[in-house]
Amino acid sequence: MINPEPARGRSVCPPPSGYPHPMTPAVLPQLSRSANHRTLWFAAAAALAATRTPRARRAATRGLASLGLASLTVSALGKRTVPTAWQLKRRPASTAFPSGHAASAAAFATGVALESPAWGTVVAPVAASVALARGHSGVHFPSDVLAGAAVGVGAAFAVRGMVPTRGQVAPPARPRAEVPALPDGEGLVLVANTGAGSAERVRALRDALPRAEVVECEPGDVPAELEKAASRARVLGVCGGDGTVNAAARVALRSGLPLAVLPGGTLNHFAYDLGIEGERDLARALRAGDAVRVDVGRYSCGGKHGVFLNTCSVGVYPELVRERERWSHRIGGWPAGVLAALRVLRADRHPLEAEVQGRTHPLWLLFAGNGTYHRMGLAPGRRLDMADGQLDVRVVHGGRRPAVRLLAAALAGPLTRSPAHAAVQVGRLRLDHVAPGTLLAYDGEVTEVEGRVTLEKLPEALTVYRPLPSD
């Protein structure tokens, strides 16, 4: 018979607090310590963002947002102490309920998985190990860990309720267009802007569509190469940011060619709103011959005119774009954007005076989107319908403190009227008596306008490849 009593002289005391249990793998306590102050999760988010894929960046952002909400929830609960009746034989070092480490781990992993299941499978084992380590190393009761994990999962789903994932708000697959299917890419001539840092994506597209022709060129040569490509292509392709895509759209409109867009620049709003996040999406659409018709915006001023696929604006924003371009080559894109915003908003400027639809207004900003922009909860807006026939016009009225007015307009989002701003959807907009030298920005490019400026829609004018769901 086995004697249940301990051997004489043998201690049954637990290991000192902070030391791993003899049955715990040595790596678990180290993993638990690395999660102190959420360091492990910030490092994981940085690693995801470094992959430079849109879905991974969104997954990292969603994971951190979920972690933040979970941390606030745990703090609000007050880290209550568990009653002594719940204590185990080996008393944990902390009786805090619920476990903050478990809540953070579960929140980050669940947030990542909701946006990207593939990355979620990578993060989940690490998160589970962190939660397991809190109990096995004698730091928390199992009830603390389970409650913390429940709080973390709940926080991630709460964030998804406020900010839906892209899979929840997929753009409609209409109006469909008849285009050639290119199983191996033959007939596609794609012009890639080497200044956009898109070499890896271009190589991946070549592997996926071996008979496609790819022309890589410097930014200054893009317009000429697009014209040459249009003369011999069945499908005109482009790889670059929104400015490069705008140039390709102008050529495609003149040539009557369908457009294939591979995102490759800093900003890729048009491609992302179409559901094209990389070479796999584009290759799938080209092989299947899936495409839709989308609206194009157009501005005209005297003999000057142009098109925009995303936005067109006058006022503070064009000045910000010009300032950003002045500094981006020296200090980088994002730092230049912050510096430009500070310089523009602190400058002693007067609001733009313009007559809008027959009424004179002082304006800090007039923004016109090609299609209606919707907020996803608290997230920045995106378009769900690329062929709705509307210009989404947002106006920030002139007055004192432009920074406060612009911030109020940004936070208010879809609110239609306030003392600071207004929003309306129209098919055509006319500005009169615009002062000479006024800047107009369109898809990241800037030009000068004066007198009468007209903004209008070209409904379903451009055919563009995009992956469509199966029927």
Side-chain angles (χ1 to χ4, degrees):
M1 178 181 295
I2 299 176
N3 186 359
E5 296 295 326
R8 185 177 302 276
R10 183 176 297 173
S11 173
V12 294
C13 295
S17 174
Y19 285 83
H21 189 267
M23 297 300 291
T24 304
V27 71
L28 290 184
Q30 297 176 5
L31 194 61
S32 177
R33 286 191 294 271
S34 71
N36 290 343
H37 309 294
R38 290 85 180 173
T39 303
L40 174 63
W41 310 123
F42 286 118
L48 287 175
T51 63
R52 300 185 64 183
T53 61
R55 179 165 293 181
R57 288 197 295 263
R58 291 199 307 272
T61 302
R62 186 173 295 278
L64 291 178
S66 303
L67 183 153
L69 181 58
S71 298
L72 290 174
T73 304
V74 169
S75 298
L77 291 175
K79 302 284 281 186
R80 298 176 183 176
T81 301
V82 178
T84 56
W86 288 21
Q87 294 177 6
L88 305 177
K89 292 181 180 180
R90 186 166 53 86
R91 181 182 177 86
S94 170
T95 56
F97 176 88
S99 166
H101 281 67
S104 297
F108 184 82
T110 306
V112 169
L114 289 175
E115 189 67 56
S116 173
W119 282 112
T121 59
V122 175
V123 176
V126 180
S129 298
V130 169
L132 183 65
R134 304 305 289 177
H136 277 216
S137 59
V139 180
H140 278 288
F141 293 114
S143 57
D144 301 343
V145 176
L146 292 175
V151 168
V153 172
F157 277 92
V159 169
R160 190 179 72 164
M162 293 184 289
V163 187
T165 62
R166 281 188 178 263
Q168 293 176 279
V169 286
R174 63 146 190 93
R176 295 199 179 196
E178 294 295 329
V179 293
L182 309 179
D184 54 6
E186 185 175 7
L188 170 68
V189 182
L190 183 137
V191 177
N193 183 351
T194 57
S198 54
E200 292 183 6
R201 288 191 170 181
V202 169
R203 284 196 295 269
L205 187 69
R206 276 180 170 146
D207 293 338
L209 302 171
R211 303 196 67 174
E213 179 184 350
V214 177
V215 179
E216 298 184 70
C217 61
E218 296 295 325
D221 298 328
V222 166
E225 292 298 335
L226 284 169
E227 295 287 354
K228 295 177 185 177
S231 66
R232 62 181 185 275
R234 295 179 67 198
V235 176
L236 180 63
V238 62
C239 180
D242 283 329
T244 304
V245 175
N246 182 288
R250 295 198 303 267
V251 176
L253 286 169
R254 287 197 301 269
S255 306
L257 291 174
L259 184 65
V261 179
L262 178 62
T266 304
L267 300 177
N268 300 279
H269 297 301
F270 182 70
Y272 294 163
D273 285 347
L274 283 170
I276 301 173
E277 299 193 357
E279 63 282 349
R280 292 182 181 179
D281 297 322
L282 180 58
R284 178 157 61 93
L286 286 163
R287 291 193 190 104
D290 289 337
V292 294
R293 295 189 301 276
V294 300
D295 292 347
V296 174
R298 180 171 65 183
Y299 75 86
S300 58
C301 176
K304 182 184 297 185
H305 58 86
V307 301
F308 57 97
L309 301 177
N310 299 302
T311 63
C312 183
S313 60
V314 295
V316 172
Y317 182 72
E319 297 181 18
L320 188 150
V321 172
R322 186 172 63 175
E323 284 289 327
R324 184 187 66 196
E325 293 302 315
R326 288 179 56 190
W327 292 95
S328 61
H329 299 296
R330 306 179 193 177
I331 62 176
W334 292 112
V338 174
L339 177 61
L342 293 174
R343 290 172 65 90
V344 168
L345 294 178
R346 292 182 62 184
D348 184 17
R349 289 182 172 85
H350 296 286
L352 168 70
E353 292 281 347
E355 186 177 311
V356 183
Q357 305 291 74
R359 297 182 60 184
T360 302
H361 298 271
L363 308 173
W364 281 119
L365 174 67
L366 186 147
F367 161 98
N370 176 33
T372 304
Y373 280 77
H374 299 268
R375 278 186 180 271
M376 298 192 302
L378 303 177
R382 61 171 294 204
R383 291 164 291 181
L384 305 183
D385 189 347
M386 304 290 283
D388 63 1
Q390 298 294 311
L391 290 171
D392 189 358
V393 181
R394 310 292 174 96
V395 175
V396 179
H397 301 304
R400 300 179 59 188
R401 299 179 179 177
V404 174
R405 287 174 173 265
L406 291 167
L407 179 61
L411 293 176
L415 296 180
T416 56
R417 298 239 173 237
S418 84
H421 65 96
V424 66
Q425 283 76 46
V426 296
R428 191 171 186 271
L429 181 70
R430 191 186 73 217
L431 308 178
D432 287 310
H433 308 304
V434 177
T438 297
L439 298 180
L440 179 143
Y442 61 101
D443 290 351
E445 306 296 321
V446 178
T447 187
E448 291 189 0
V449 294
E450 62 177 292
R452 172 173 293 184
V453 179
T454 302
L455 307 179
E456 58 188 338
K457 293 280 285 194
L458 303 177
E460 301 181 15
L462 181 65
T463 298
V464 60
Y465 282 83
R466 58 151 292 190
L468 303 179
S470 57
D471 292 332

